[in-house]
Amino acid sequence: MPNYRLLLGCAATLSFGVALAAQTTPAIKRAKPVHSIEATPKAAASPNGEKEATEKTPAPPKEPAITFNSVHVDGPYIAMTFDDGPSATLTPKLLDILAAHHLRVTFFVLGEMVAEHPEILARAAREGHEIASHSWSHPNFAKMSQENIRSQLQRTDDEIKSTTGKRPTLFRPPYGSITERQKRWIHDEFGYDIILWDVDPLDWKRPGPAVVRNRILKETRPGSIVLSHDIHPGTIEAMPSTFDQLEAKGFKFVTVSELLGMATPVTPHPKAEPAEKTATKAAPSAVPASSPGG
């Protein structure tokens, strides 16, 4: 029994010592991790940093245009063009009308027609009209091989040069049909600008002189390139009154090359205001559509 009491006393003494130690020894706390973002000093800001961040890489310069439907000009200048000649009977009549009005135009001629009527083309060139290429025999270039296209262009180029003494610098693809790749290599190899149009009276459908005239008058604007053909009688018949009324509207006639030389940069339009701040909207720009009549 005395031994049992001794054991109880030792146990009580040990429990009291452990409790006292727990009260006097502080608990060990886990250290907080150091975040790397706090440990790394911030780089000094560049005085031009804001400007450098907002500055955009300048866009590469645009390649010069080689295809033209119309030209942006400062003035009422237009170019009348006539395709598919020279015609043995109709082109001389047109030349007489042009001489009476003191106008100069651009003829997009076929090489095979030049070979048949060189004297008519020589007269047109002599009277100050511009002579340009429209291929040898009016095929669809978009469906032809490069070698066949080259032959069409070279033969026409040579025929015009031998007749007028000058090589053409402009080319209009028959039907307006040509691929982007063809435009590029033709321009690179022959030096031609590719000329389309933005006014088409569809005179190749022979709708009658009045319709041809009215369509031209309605669609023509400053910088227009007007398509027509000096192989249709109704077109030639429409021209005197067409020229008179275009002149009455204040239009001045130049060749296509002269029109290209007058080109001015297009002024960008200001951004449209929100609907609640403006009462009117600018009309959308018209996109000219090509027809199979070229």
Side-chain angles (χ1 to χ4, degrees):
M1 181 65 76
N3 290 341
Y4 176 72
R5 287 177 178 172
L6 180 62
L7 288 171
L8 284 176
C10 290
T13 303
L14 181 60
S15 297
F16 177 80
V18 170
L20 183 62
Q23 290 177 2
T24 56
T25 305
I28 299 174
K29 295 183 180 179
R30 179 177 293 177
K32 290 183 180 179
V34 177
H35 296 290
S36 59
I37 191 170
E38 295 175 355
T40 305
K42 293 182 180 179
S46 165
N48 296 324
E50 222 174 281
K51 183 178 179 183
E52 291 168 359
T54 57
E55 255 182 15
K56 293 181 179 179
T57 304
K62 291 183 179 180
E63 291 188 4
I66 61 173
T67 307
F68 300 88
N69 290 70
S70 62
V71 180
H72 185 267
V73 293
D74 290 333
Y77 301 100
I78 62 172
M80 298 290 297
T81 68
F82 295 88
D83 289 12
D84 296 351
S87 158
T89 57
L90 297 179
T91 304
K93 288 181 180 179
L94 177 59
L95 289 172
D96 290 343
I97 296 167
L98 293 168
H101 283 77
H102 306 287
L103 303 180
R104 290 183 299 128
V105 301
T106 300
F107 288 98
F108 286 92
V109 298
L110 297 177
E112 63 182 8
M113 298 301 290
V114 176
E116 287 185 26
H117 310 292
E119 72 288 350
I120 298 174
L121 191 71
R123 175 191 167 184
R126 194 168 56 246
E127 294 180 2
H129 302 291
E130 181 171 32
I131 311 302
S133 174
H134 195 37
S135 80
W136 181 264
S137 58
H138 210 280
N140 187 333
F141 273 30
K143 298 180 178 180
M144 294 177 64
S145 70
Q146 184 166 324
E147 192 52 44
N148 287 338
I149 290 174
R150 183 177 288 109
S151 174
Q152 284 271 330
L153 295 175
Q154 191 61 59
R155 290 178 71 191
T156 306
D157 195 283
D158 293 342
E159 195 69 39
I160 292 173
K161 172 68 163 59
S162 67
T163 303
T164 67
K166 292 177 63 177
R167 293 191 179 277
T169 60
L170 309 177
F171 168 66
R172 172 172 285 162
Y175 312 104
S177 177
I178 191 169
T179 68
E180 290 300 320
R181 180 179 173 278
Q182 288 169 345
K183 289 178 185 178
R184 175 53 59 189
W185 77 255
I186 287 171
H187 173 76
D188 291 346
E189 190 168 322
F190 288 87
Y192 297 148
D193 284 326
I194 312 299
I195 308 301
L196 299 175
W197 58 86
D198 70 328
V199 178
D200 183 1
L202 302 176
D203 63 329
W204 57 276
K205 293 184 177 183
R206 301 195 174 191
V211 174
V212 171
R213 178 188 64 244
N214 292 338
R215 286 174 177 169
I216 292 175
L217 293 173
K218 180 181 178 182
E219 298 174 22
T220 301
R221 57 181 176 76
S224 281
I225 298 174
V226 183
L227 169 68
S228 48
H229 301 77
D230 54 326
I231 60 170
H232 302 305
T235 300
I236 307 306
E237 190 178 337
M239 285 304 109
S241 59
T242 300
F243 294 152
D244 286 340
Q245 293 188 45
L246 286 172
E247 287 180 316
K249 286 187 167 192
F251 288 113
K252 299 181 185 302
F253 299 80
V254 295
T255 65
V256 171
S257 287
E258 288 172 335
L259 194 68
L260 297 183
M262 296 175 178
T264 58
V266 178
T267 304
H269 295 291
K271 291 183 180 178
E273 293 291 329
E276 62 271 14
K277 291 186 179 180
T278 181
T280 59
K281 288 185 178 179
S285 300
V287 179
S290 298
S291 81

